């Protein structure tokens, strides 16, 4: 560990698995840094060389770290949670993805998403190789800012969340020393103010994202709500592209097509149905709008993402029990 500024806050430094000899690197890292410092059981997920490198900044009331790591599995076991650490930890993959399991619940996050969980809970993560950003905040700093926090489990917050982006920006500046504390190493009032600002933004993020929390009392579907909403929003934005596919959504969110199918299946949906429904609803709105009375049905079909007019007509009739022309006529519009 390479520490700087240990005469007083902020404490800055870096940690790297490279400090251990190659022949015993993994075992040394697991025992010394993993179990004793992080209080995690750490195991590699592939046969490649193990590596971990991170830089960190510790302020009064929070610790921020960022770095890169090979594919690993981390477990916070009943034995390891006896350290009485009850921090709230927000973890964001910058590159790569992560699977989280806790109390029988499961979630997958991709680049830019965030997972928020309690260190006092047994948990299990599997991460691909990549880059990460984390912040740990004491529970006591958040309890007054998040209503009923004790009833809540872990939360998945999608990358599209504006407050999450704001929080990440502040964490990056604190980590890099470009926000306040960089030029005021000994000014504890400034450091405390910087930490409180992070607490406030994190509290706002959690309190306004409570639909994304997984309830400890059961699996009420809230765990996947944020991801499903983001997928549906993407489909709505790109439905008019005839080439748009589930692979495009998977790339956008940094997750697999199979995981998207699983999410939708939990709601009794399929991706093809979701995309087709969005296109049909757009077509219906256009046909019912008097301002489009001179636009042909063929052009409307193409505009809404259909590449086959016969298929469009068939799907439209199945959904609305009427042809596109009948919908248009019922509104007193011109026929094609």
């Amino acid at each position: 560990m390479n520490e700087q500024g240990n005469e007083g806050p902020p404490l800055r430094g870096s940690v790297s698995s490279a400090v251990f000899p190659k022949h015993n690197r993994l075992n040394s890292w697991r025992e010394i840094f993993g179990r004793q410092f992080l209080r995690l059981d750490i195991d590699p997920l592939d046969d490649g060389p193990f590596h971990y490198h991170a830089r960190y900044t510790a302020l009064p009331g929070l610790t921020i770290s960022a770095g890169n790591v090979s594919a690993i599995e981390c477990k916070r076991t009943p034995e390891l949670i006896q350290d009485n650490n009850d921090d709230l930890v927000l973890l964001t993959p910058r590159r790569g993805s992560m699977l989280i399991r806790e109390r029988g619940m499961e979630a997958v996050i991709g680049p830019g998403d965030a997972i928020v969980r309690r260190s006092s809970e047994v948990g299990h993560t599997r991460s691909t190789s990549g880059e990460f950003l984390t912040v740990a905040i004491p529970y006591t700093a958040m309890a007054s800012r998040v209503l009923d926090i004790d009833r809540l489990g872990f939360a998945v917050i999608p990358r599209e969340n504006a407050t999450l982006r704001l929080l990440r920006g502040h964490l990056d500046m604190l980590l890099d020393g470009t926000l306040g504390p960089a030029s005021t190493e000994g000014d504890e009032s400034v450091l405390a103010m910087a930490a409180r600002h992070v607490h406030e933004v994190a509290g706002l993020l959690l309190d306004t994202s409570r639909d994304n929390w997984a309830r400890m009392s059961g699996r009420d579907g809230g765990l996947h709500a944020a991801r499903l909403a983001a997928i549906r929003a993407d489909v709505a934005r790109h439905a008019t592209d005839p080439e748009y596919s589930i692979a495009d959504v998977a790339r956008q969110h940094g997750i697999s097509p199979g995981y998207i199918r699983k999410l939708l299946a939990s709601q009794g949906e399929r991706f093809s149905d979701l995309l087709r429904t969005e296109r049909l609803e757009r077509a219906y709105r256009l046909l019912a709008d008097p301002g489009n009375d001179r636009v042909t049905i063929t052009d409307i079909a193409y505009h809404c993402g259909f590449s086959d007019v016969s298929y469009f007509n068939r799907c439209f009739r199945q959904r609305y029990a009427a042809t596109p022309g009948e919908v248009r006529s019922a509104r007193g519009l011109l026929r094609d």
Side-chain angles (χ1 to χ4, degrees), residues 109-128:
I109 60 173
D113 298 327
I115 179 77
V116 186
R117 63 177 307 274
R118 292 276 293 277
S119 293
S120 57
E121 295 291 338
V122 171
H124 176 194
T125 63
R126 294 171 63 90
S127 307
T128 64

Side-chain angles (χ1 to χ4, degrees), residues 227-243:
R227 176 63 72 195
L228 284 165
I231 289 171
R232 291 189 178 104
D234 276 348
V235 170
R237 279 195 296 271
H238 300 287
T240 57
D241 179 359
E243 302 298 322

